[in-house]
Amino acid sequence: MGLLIKNGIIVNADQMSDKTQDILCVDGKIVQITPSLTLPARGRETSAGEGNIVIDAKGKKVLPGLIDMHVHLRQPGREDKETIETGSRAAVKGGFTSVFCMPNTNPVIDNAMVVEFIIREAARVGLCNVYPIGAITKGQNDQELTDMAELKAAGCLALSDDGKSVLNSRLFRLAMEYAGMLGLLIIEHCQDPLLTAGGVMNEGEVSTRIGLKGDPGIAETVTVARDIEIAHYLDARVHLAHMSLKRSMDLVRFAKSQGIKVTAEACPHHFTLTDEACAAFDVSTKVNPPLRCQEDVEAVKAAIADGTIDCIVTDHAPHTKEDKEVGFDGAPFGLIGLETSLGLTIKALVKPGIIDLPQMVDRMSASPARIMGLRNKGVIEQGFDADITIIDENKEWTVTPEGFVSKSKNSPFIGWALTGAVEHTICGGKIVYQAPVA
Ligand code: DOR
Ligand code: ZN
């Protein structure tokens, strides 16, 4: 049995089709793309015959399945915040067919057993591809490197101590060397805790005004600069997580111009919100790295447009109401993002003409596939995986707490009107999400 997506406009990173196309998917792969595909009359002759599921994508855009390189699924350890199952449901509702989950779980993803557990559980859930990211240091303790070969053999494509930096520069150098030899990507959370020094929001005029302890931008940029220097010295790859500052954009842009193997990501909350959002003491605006100034927001947008920022990620960080509602100082950092990422990106970047839809597809699918080495994903083309997201880029909708399928509701975007909605998410040729009929 196949899946036939009819009459859609295909948007790939390099081009958008000018005519509607039909896409036939069989056995999890895209097998045919034609302007006028009709079902074979005598279906039994082919697996694409009778019994095909047909989706009419008329008036819709058909994108390669979105890929989020940076999410927190909280399992194992904090299943009250999110599980692989609820996180997968949030992912496919947001149009994601592949997500990479960060290792700051309990236990930490620092050995093969945890990696295998996540892969097994994700397969049981069967909604989207879940790729565990292994830790760089054991228990994320910044002291002893993990067994990277073991993590790779278990299925990891990348390593990170996300949630915090690898502060020990020598260890970070070794990590980049070993990871490089194994073909693993090192992803760095850039935030020097000695400079952050207990800050709970961006250090600046707003933090001074409202009396919250500030986290200075230099906590991010000194780490960015250090990592770029190590990457240059070793001629090794490094990927910089959730870049939030104009200075970081400038450093990454310069590094790229020098041929240094650095890639970088940014989050929707860093191109849609400033630290003014913290002034109402809404704990869902407490995030690491913190929300910055308007100048930084504009710089993040410009860097997404010119490719300095390779991809848009959510840093989906679910937290329970109980954990969050302890006041701004005590609340954990993080906000949920999987279900609002596409709508925020279209609203803030595509509709104002900062990027076009093919560029959005690049930043949200093709580029993460390339960075992570997912060779059969990120493109709608014959022979590629049938991971497909069908969207109505003009549909407006409002974010509500009840609308979230994530276990947590810690979103600063509740009440926002967004543009662009997911109609269908297809993973491995199977429909894994379908928008409710209005
Ligand atoms: O805000 C954040 N929350 N930033 C991180 O880096 C970690 C994340 C979490 O795990 O909650
Ligand atoms: Zn994170």
Side-chain angles (χ1 to χ4, degrees):
M1 195 171 79
L3 174 74
L4 181 63
I5 303 165
K6 289 187 67 68
N7 309 317
I9 297 279
I10 297 175
V11 188
N12 273 317
D14 59 355
Q15 64 170 343
M16 181 152 95
S17 63
D18 50 5
K19 292 194 226 44
T20 60
Q21 308 275 333
D22 294 353
I23 304 167
L24 179 64
C25 309
V26 178
D27 295 334
K29 296 278 177 194
I30 296 167
V31 297
Q32 202 178 358
I33 302 175
T34 87
S36 57
L37 191 69
T38 47
L39 290 174
R42 285 164 292 137
R44 282 196 198 89
E45 288 169 12
T46 98
S47 60
E50 244 170 41
N52 269 302
I53 295 172
V54 180
I55 296 175
D56 187 7
K58 187 157 181 269
K60 309 289 183 330
K61 299 289 190 292
V62 183
L63 280 44
L66 305 181
I67 301 173
D68 191 343
M69 280 179 61
H70 192 145
V71 305
H72 298 266
L73 295 181
R74 306 295 188 216
Q75 194 178 3
R78 286 308 302 263
E79 292 80 358
D80 53 333
K81 295 183 191 236
E82 195 80 285
T83 62
I84 291 162
E85 180 159 356
T86 59
S88 296
R89 234 182 279 143
V92 298
K93 178 159 171 280
F96 295 97
T97 52
S98 295
V99 296
F100 286 76
C101 59
M102 285 297 176
N104 61 340
T105 46
N106 186 9
V108 167
I109 311 178
D110 63 2
N111 65 78
M113 250 168 53
V114 189
V115 176
E116 285 157 7
F117 162 74
I118 292 169
I119 292 173
R120 228 178 17 250
E121 177 60 10
R124 184 195 68 76
V125 170
L127 289 172
C128 62
N129 304 294
V130 176
Y131 299 95
I133 294 177
I136 296 173
T137 63
K138 286 187 184 164
Q140 297 191 295
N141 66 4
D142 202 22
Q143 284 173 23
E144 195 186 345
L145 294 177
T146 50
D147 186 334
M148 297 184 180
E150 173 185 317
L151 290 168
K152 183 185 160 97
C156 288
L157 300 174
L159 305 176
S160 179
D161 270 1
D162 184 65
K164 52 189 187 174
S165 285
V166 178
L167 191 57
N168 181 328
S169 302
R170 181 175 165 276
L171 210 54
F172 195 67
R173 173 222 169 126
L174 291 176
M176 277 181 51
E177 283 183 297
Y178 298 156
M181 285 187 254
L182 290 165
L184 288 165
L185 180 71
I186 291 283
I187 303 174
E188 170 82 314
H189 173 119
C190 298
Q191 197 174 29
D192 183 330
L194 300 173
L195 282 164
T196 295
V200 295
M201 67 172 290
N202 183 50
E203 178 176 286
E205 191 239 306
V206 183
S207 66
T208 308
R209 193 174 78 226
I210 68 176
L212 287 177
K213 189 157 178 5
D215 170 3
I218 46 171
E220 175 171 311
T221 55
V222 295
T223 318
V224 170
R226 179 200 71 169
D227 291 359
I228 286 171
E229 280 303 288
I230 298 175
H232 174 240
Y233 182 69
L234 300 173
D235 192 26
R237 269 194 333 149
V238 68
H239 179 81
L240 305 177
H242 39 53
M243 293 286 91
S244 67
L245 289 155
K246 177 176 185 303
R247 292 276 314 160
S248 299
M249 304 307 139
D250 293 345
L251 287 166
V252 173
R253 190 178 288 113
F254 177 71
K256 286 187 169 191
S257 77
Q258 302 277 299
I260 298 169
K261 294 173 182 154
V262 56
T263 51
E265 59 183 44
C267 308
H269 48 273
H270 286 126
F271 60 74
T272 53
L273 290 170
T274 66
D275 53 0
E276 285 288 355
C278 304
F281 298 96
D282 171 5
V283 282
S284 63
T285 63
K286 182 177 176 182
V287 62
N288 258 339
L291 303 175
R292 308 288 191 180
C293 308
Q294 194 60 43
E295 187 190 32
D296 299 307
V297 167
E298 296 309 324
V300 172
K301 290 185 193 174
I304 291 170
D306 75 11
T308 299
I309 290 293
D310 298 88
C311 40
I312 296 170
V313 304
T314 63
D315 195 8
H316 180 78
H319 291 293
T320 60
K321 211 168 162 190
E322 295 70 37
D323 281 350
K324 270 287 196 186
E325 285 188 349
V326 294
F328 210 96
D329 280 327
F333 293 92
L335 53 89
I336 56 168
L338 284 167
E339 297 169 67
T340 48
S341 180
L342 181 80
L344 285 166
T345 302
I346 293 179
K347 183 191 174 91
L349 303 181
V350 177
K351 289 296 170 190
I354 294 164
I355 60 173
D356 57 19
L357 280 177
Q359 281 174 306
M360 181 184 86
V361 165
D362 180 68
R363 310 303 186 260
M364 295 184 80
S365 182
S367 171
R370 205 161 47 234
I371 290 170
M372 286 297 193
L374 302 176
R375 281 203 213 92
N376 296 314
K377 301 193 188 294
V379 187
I380 295 197
E381 207 176 290
Q382 197 182 318
F384 278 71
D385 290 348
D387 291 359
I388 295 169
T389 303
I390 304 174
I391 67 163
D392 178 344
E393 90 270 27
N394 297 315
K395 194 188 246 178
E396 304 217 347
W397 59 284
T398 301
V399 184
T400 63
E402 314 80 61
F404 287 123
V405 298
S406 168
K407 243 189 197 185
S408 295
K409 320 283 171 202
N410 53 308
S411 167
F413 301 109
I414 288 169
W416 281 43
L418 302 187
T419 315
V422 176
E423 294 291 324
H424 288 88
T425 307
I426 293 141
C427 186
K430 198 177 95 185
I431 300 173
V432 288
Y433 173 77
Q434 196 163 349
V437 195

